[in-house]
Amino acid sequence: MSVLRLIFLALAIWGAVHPMSWFLAWFGENGYDLGAMVAAWKVNAATTGLFWDLTIAAVALTVWILAEAVPRRRWLDLLAIPATFCIGVSCGLPLYLFLRLRHEASR
């Protein structure tokens, strides 16, 4: 495995664990209410801007993944889509790059 793939794998793991620790802390304090969490993301202009920034990035990443993976029948690459929307772009993007680079190594 290349150094670059290892870096992307480490970033995907970090992008899953670190944000999730904050989400779990929030759930611990406020209960498991996704509606309340989404409302918290929109409490002021700064958090609303960040919410939309990440949402647009997630949609763009999804379009990119679909445009590359489906025509090439790289079905495993599609795992990055639920990772993006269930965890975040911080996990989905490096996960996709990790998965995508496995094809480059096999050339």
Side-chain angles (χ1 to χ4, degrees):
M1 188 177 311
S2 72
V3 172
L4 186 58
R5 281 195 78 211
L6 287 173
I7 290 169
F8 285 135
L9 179 59
L11 287 170
I13 293 168
W14 182 23
V17 172
H18 195 135
M20 196 55 63
S21 69
W22 289 98
F23 294 150
L24 292 175
W26 190 90
F27 285 135
E29 293 174 11
N30 300 285
Y32 289 92
D33 184 354
L34 287 176
M37 179 179 249
V38 171
W41 293 340
K42 298 178 181 181
V43 295
N44 59 46
T47 58
T48 300
L50 185 57
F51 168 82
W52 283 111
D53 180 61
L54 293 171
T55 299
I56 293 165
V59 171
L61 176 58
T62 299
V63 170
W64 179 29
I65 293 168
L66 291 171
E68 285 197 340
V70 173
R72 292 173 179 85
R73 298 176 187 245
R74 295 179 179 168
W75 308 121
L76 189 62
D77 293 5
L78 297 176
L79 289 175
I81 295 172
T84 298
F85 286 96
C86 294
I87 301 170
V89 176
S90 63
C91 176
L93 176 59
L95 176 62
Y96 178 64
L97 295 172
F98 169 77
L99 293 169
R100 186 176 185 266
L101 282 176
R102 82 183 185 285
H103 303 293
E104 300 298 322
S106 63
R107 285 185 184 183

